[in-house]
Amino acid sequence: MNLIPMAVSSLFEGFVSEFVGTAILLLLGVGVVANNLLGKTKGNGTGFLFVNFGWGIAVMAGVYFASNSGGQLNPAVTVGLLVRELILGNSVDWALFWVYILAEFLGAMLGAFLAWLAYKQHYDTDVDPALKLGTFATGPEIRNPFWNFLTEVIATFVLVGWVLVAVLQDPNGNAWAPIGVTLLIVGIGASLGGPTGYAINPVRDLGPRIIHALVPIKGKGDSDWGYAWIPVAGPLVGGILAALILVPIYTATGALPADSAPFFQLAGA
């Protein structure tokens, strides 16, 4: 069990694995925020650390559900791994790469929709529209596009850097990786989540934001599309920078294997 792409035997197999895993991630992730923010829930007002742990466990569960494909669940991770392949000169099955991205996006939408169904009665109570949106999508505490973007870049750099360095140093022995990523997500949230809510995953924000715009919620307000580009672009840039900076350094020093099997290829290709 690990966080790196395994050799799926078909595009359909890769799609199903990433789709289900990302749906589980967002079901539990949106759910823990809803439990904290919405009125009349058992977890109302439990606080940000409660949310951090909920998201960490959500990622762990998603990784286990998507173990067949490596449990990426995040286009920032997928793109970071792709950049690694390009840096090392490995061949890439571009169809498989785009299947992963599509599966992550659609899975995120499904997970957010299921979370809305679970909490529908609470969404329809008289709650601040900003809190309703906050259960689906991230938002800044101090709105400044440059600094909000930079925060997402830095936080995602840590996440993708951990996958590229800590996990890939021992690609055959990472049974601990799902537990490790749980603690990492909690740590990123507790340390860097204050300014923006730490999307660190484009589909984690965009998929649920689309669901917020589509589903009927009494008094929900708008979906804040003016901010929506930041939790998409910031994580992607952070993931790319992590690969561009860390892969050459750690490969040159011998900490990372330069001759590992290409990730984005079907088994037997």
mmCIF file of all heavy atoms in Angstrom, residues 173-200:
data_model
loop_
_atom_site.group_PDB
_atom_site.id
_atom_site.type_symbol
_atom_site.label_atom_id
_atom_site.label_comp_id
_atom_site.label_asym_id
_atom_site.label_seq_id
_atom_site.Cartn_x
_atom_site.Cartn_y
_atom_site.Cartn_z
ATOM 1 N N GLY A 173 8.388 0.003 0.030
ATOM 2 C CA GLY A 173 8.225 -0.277 1.446
ATOM 3 C C GLY A 173 7.394 0.743 2.188
ATOM 4 O O GLY A 173 7.691 1.076 3.340
ATOM 5 N N ASN A 174 6.363 1.263 1.554
ATOM 6 C CA ASN A 174 5.631 2.371 2.152
ATOM 7 C C ASN A 174 4.271 1.980 2.685
ATOM 8 O O ASN A 174 3.260 2.633 2.430
ATOM 9 C CB ASN A 174 5.490 3.508 1.137
ATOM 10 C CG ASN A 174 6.811 4.215 0.942
ATOM 11 O OD1 ASN A 174 7.410 4.669 1.891
ATOM 12 N ND2 ASN A 174 7.277 4.273 -0.284
ATOM 13 N N ALA A 175 4.226 0.912 3.452
ATOM 14 C CA ALA A 175 2.967 0.542 4.091
ATOM 15 C C ALA A 175 2.514 1.609 5.076
ATOM 16 O O ALA A 175 1.328 1.715 5.389
ATOM 17 C CB ALA A 175 3.128 -0.793 4.814
ATOM 18 N N TRP A 176 3.453 2.427 5.522
ATOM 19 C CA TRP A 176 3.137 3.484 6.487
ATOM 20 C C TRP A 176 2.617 4.749 5.821
ATOM 21 O O TRP A 176 2.167 5.674 6.511
ATOM 22 C CB TRP A 176 4.395 3.842 7.294
ATOM 23 C CG TRP A 176 5.579 4.148 6.409
ATOM 24 C CD1 TRP A 176 6.555 3.300 6.020
ATOM 25 C CD2 TRP A 176 5.866 5.407 5.772
ATOM 26 N NE1 TRP A 176 7.449 3.931 5.179
ATOM 27 C CE2 TRP A 176 7.055 5.221 5.016
ATOM 28 C CE3 TRP A 176 5.260 6.651 5.774
ATOM 29 C CZ2 TRP A 176 7.630 6.240 4.269
ATOM 30 C CZ3 TRP A 176 5.832 7.675 5.027
ATOM 31 C CH2 TRP A 176 7.014 7.460 4.272
ATOM 32 N N ALA A 177 2.678 4.837 4.498
ATOM 33 C CA ALA A 177 2.395 6.097 3.813
ATOM 34 C C ALA A 177 1.007 6.661 4.107
ATOM 35 O O ALA A 177 0.873 7.871 4.323
ATOM 36 C CB ALA A 177 2.594 5.936 2.307
ATOM 37 N N PRO A 178 -0.074 5.860 4.119
ATOM 38 C CA PRO A 178 -1.381 6.451 4.427
ATOM 39 C C PRO A 178 -1.452 7.071 5.821
ATOM 40 O O PRO A 178 -2.110 8.096 6.015
ATOM 41 C CB PRO A 178 -2.341 5.265 4.299
ATOM 42 C CG PRO A 178 -1.660 4.342 3.351
ATOM 43 C CD PRO A 178 -0.204 4.457 3.678
ATOM 44 N N ILE A 179 -0.769 6.470 6.805
ATOM 45 C CA ILE A 179 -0.722 7.055 8.136
ATOM 46 C C ILE A 179 0.126 8.320 8.111
ATOM 47 O O ILE A 179 -0.219 9.343 8.718
ATOM 48 C CB ILE A 179 -0.132 6.054 9.148
ATOM 49 C CG1 ILE A 179 -0.932 4.742 9.138
ATOM 50 C CG2 ILE A 179 -0.116 6.672 10.544
ATOM 51 C CD1 ILE A 179 -2.388 4.907 9.500
ATOM 52 N N GLY A 180 1.221 8.260 7.369
ATOM 53 C CA GLY A 180 2.083 9.427 7.263
ATOM 54 C C GLY A 180 1.374 10.612 6.647
ATOM 55 O O GLY A 180 1.502 11.751 7.120
ATOM 56 N N VAL A 181 0.612 10.379 5.589
ATOM 57 C CA VAL A 181 -0.075 11.490 4.941
ATOM 58 C C VAL A 181 -1.183 12.036 5.828
ATOM 59 O O VAL A 181 -1.485 13.231 5.802
ATOM 60 C CB VAL A 181 -0.611 11.087 3.552
ATOM 61 C CG1 VAL A 181 -1.866 10.228 3.650
ATOM 62 C CG2 VAL A 181 -0.887 12.328 2.700
ATOM 63 N N THR A 182 -1.786 11.182 6.662
ATOM 64 C CA THR A 182 -2.779 11.669 7.623
ATOM 65 C C THR A 182 -2.164 12.712 8.548
ATOM 66 O O THR A 182 -2.693 13.816 8.716
ATOM 67 C CB THR A 182 -3.327 10.502 8.473
ATOM 68 O OG1 THR A 182 -3.993 9.580 7.632
ATOM 69 C CG2 THR A 182 -4.301 11.004 9.525
ATOM 70 N N LEU A 183 -1.022 12.371 9.131
ATOM 71 C CA LEU A 183 -0.358 13.291 10.049
ATOM 72 C C LEU A 183 0.144 14.534 9.316
ATOM 73 O O LEU A 183 0.113 15.647 9.867
ATOM 74 C CB LEU A 183 0.790 12.575 10.752
ATOM 75 C CG LEU A 183 0.374 11.395 11.635
ATOM 76 C CD1 LEU A 183 1.601 10.699 12.204
ATOM 77 C CD2 LEU A 183 -0.560 11.850 12.747
ATOM 78 N N LEU A 184 0.606 14.346 8.080
ATOM 79 C CA LEU A 184 1.076 15.499 7.305
ATOM 80 C C LEU A 184 -0.057 16.478 7.031
ATOM 81 O O LEU A 184 0.116 17.698 7.172
ATOM 82 C CB LEU A 184 1.688 15.021 5.988
ATOM 83 C CG LEU A 184 2.199 16.135 5.064
ATOM 84 C CD1 LEU A 184 3.400 16.827 5.692
ATOM 85 C CD2 LEU A 184 2.560 15.585 3.696
ATOM 86 N N ILE A 185 -1.235 15.979 6.634
ATOM 87 C CA ILE A 185 -2.376 16.859 6.365
ATOM 88 C C ILE A 185 -2.789 17.600 7.632
ATOM 89 O O ILE A 185 -3.094 18.806 7.597
ATOM 90 C CB ILE A 185 -3.564 16.048 5.805
ATOM 91 C CG1 ILE A 185 -3.202 15.454 4.435
ATOM 92 C CG2 ILE A 185 -4.809 16.921 5.695
ATOM 93 C CD1 ILE A 185 -2.895 16.472 3.365
ATOM 94 N N VAL A 186 -2.801 16.898 8.765
ATOM 95 C CA VAL A 186 -3.107 17.564 10.031
ATOM 96 C C VAL A 186 -2.079 18.658 10.311
ATOM 97 O O VAL A 186 -2.426 19.782 10.708
ATOM 98 C CB VAL A 186 -3.145 16.554 11.192
ATOM 99 C CG1 VAL A 186 -3.312 17.274 12.532
ATOM 100 C CG2 VAL A 186 -4.285 15.556 10.994
ATOM 101 N N GLY A 187 -0.806 18.342 10.093
ATOM 102 C CA GLY A 187 0.251 19.310 10.343
ATOM 103 C C GLY A 187 0.180 20.516 9.425
ATOM 104 O O GLY A 187 0.356 21.659 9.867
ATOM 105 N N ILE A 188 -0.066 20.288 8.141
ATOM 106 C CA ILE A 188 -0.191 21.410 7.205
ATOM 107 C C ILE A 188 -1.372 22.289 7.605
ATOM 108 O O ILE A 188 -1.284 23.524 7.594
ATOM 109 C CB ILE A 188 -0.349 20.899 5.762
ATOM 110 C CG1 ILE A 188 0.951 20.243 5.282
ATOM 111 C CG2 ILE A 188 -0.725 22.049 4.818
ATOM 112 C CD1 ILE A 188 0.823 19.574 3.918
ATOM 113 N N GLY A 189 -2.492 21.661 7.958
ATOM 114 C CA GLY A 189 -3.658 22.439 8.361
ATOM 115 C C GLY A 189 -3.398 23.255 9.601
ATOM 116 O O GLY A 189 -3.737 24.447 9.671
ATOM 117 N N ALA A 190 -2.770 22.634 10.593
ATOM 118 C CA ALA A 190 -2.511 23.328 11.849
ATOM 119 C C ALA A 190 -1.480 24.440 11.682
ATOM 120 O O ALA A 190 -1.552 25.473 12.366
ATOM 121 C CB ALA A 190 -2.040 22.325 12.906
ATOM 122 N N SER A 191 -0.528 24.254 10.773
ATOM 123 C CA SER A 191 0.556 25.220 10.615
ATOM 124 C C SER A 191 0.290 26.266 9.539
ATOM 125 O O SER A 191 0.605 27.446 9.732
ATOM 126 C CB SER A 191 1.854 24.480 10.275
ATOM 127 O OG SER A 191 2.216 23.582 11.293
ATOM 128 N N LEU A 192 -0.265 25.843 8.412
ATOM 129 C CA LEU A 192 -0.391 26.735 7.254
ATOM 130 C C LEU A 192 -1.833 26.935 6.799
ATOM 131 O O LEU A 192 -2.076 27.627 5.810
ATOM 132 C CB LEU A 192 0.424 26.164 6.081
ATOM 133 C CG LEU A 192 1.931 26.008 6.333
ATOM 134 C CD1 LEU A 192 2.594 25.262 5.172
ATOM 135 C CD2 LEU A 192 2.582 27.366 6.541
ATOM 136 N N GLY A 193 -2.790 26.335 7.511
ATOM 137 C CA GLY A 193 -4.182 26.414 7.068
ATOM 138 C C GLY A 193 -4.912 27.668 7.474
ATOM 139 O O GLY A 193 -6.008 27.940 6.977
ATOM 140 N N GLY A 194 -4.321 28.475 8.348
ATOM 141 C CA GLY A 194 -5.023 29.639 8.864
ATOM 142 C C GLY A 194 -5.389 30.704 7.848
ATOM 143 O O GLY A 194 -6.517 31.222 7.866
ATOM 144 N N PRO A 195 -4.495 31.071 6.931
ATOM 145 C CA PRO A 195 -4.827 32.161 6.004
ATOM 146 C C PRO A 195 -5.915 31.822 4.990
ATOM 147 O O PRO A 195 -6.765 32.663 4.684
ATOM 148 C CB PRO A 195 -3.490 32.436 5.296
ATOM 149 C CG PRO A 195 -2.445 31.955 6.261
ATOM 150 C CD PRO A 195 -3.055 30.739 6.898
ATOM 151 N N THR A 196 -5.899 30.603 4.419
ATOM 152 C CA THR A 196 -6.802 30.291 3.299
ATOM 153 C C THR A 196 -7.651 29.051 3.507
ATOM 154 O O THR A 196 -8.504 28.748 2.675
ATOM 155 C CB THR A 196 -5.995 30.087 2.000
ATOM 156 O OG1 THR A 196 -5.116 28.960 2.160
ATOM 157 C CG2 THR A 196 -5.190 31.327 1.647
ATOM 158 N N GLY A 197 -7.416 28.287 4.560
ATOM 159 C CA GLY A 197 -8.140 27.036 4.724
ATOM 160 C C GLY A 197 -7.478 25.868 4.033
ATOM 161 O O GLY A 197 -8.064 24.796 3.953
ATOM 162 N N TYR A 198 -6.306 26.069 3.521
ATOM 163 C CA TYR A 198 -5.439 25.054 2.891
ATOM 164 C C TYR A 198 -6.166 24.088 1.959
ATOM 165 O O TYR A 198 -6.373 22.944 2.246
ATOM 166 C CB TYR A 198 -4.593 24.322 3.945
ATOM 167 C CG TYR A 198 -5.225 23.266 4.831
ATOM 168 C CD1 TYR A 198 -4.732 21.957 4.821
ATOM 169 C CD2 TYR A 198 -6.272 23.565 5.695
ATOM 170 C CE1 TYR A 198 -5.259 20.984 5.644
ATOM 171 C CE2 TYR A 198 -6.804 22.602 6.519
ATOM 172 C CZ TYR A 198 -6.308 21.311 6.490
ATOM 173 O OH TYR A 198 -6.834 20.349 7.302
ATOM 174 N N ALA A 199 -6.483 24.592 0.760
ATOM 175 C CA ALA A 199 -7.063 23.706 -0.259
ATOM 176 C C ALA A 199 -6.060 22.619 -0.624
ATOM 177 O O ALA A 199 -6.380 21.430 -0.625
ATOM 178 C CB ALA A 199 -7.455 24.497 -1.500
ATOM 179 N N ILE A 200 -4.844 23.002 -0.975
ATOM 180 C CA ILE A 200 -3.720 22.145 -1.391
ATOM 181 C C ILE A 200 -4.128 21.049 -2.380
ATOM 182 O O ILE A 200 -3.425 20.048 -2.523
ATOM 183 C CB ILE A 200 -2.972 21.538 -0.178
ATOM 184 C CG1 ILE A 200 -3.872 20.682 0.695
ATOM 185 C CG2 ILE A 200 -2.317 22.648 0.642
ATOM 186 C CD1 ILE A 200 -3.122 19.965 1.832
#
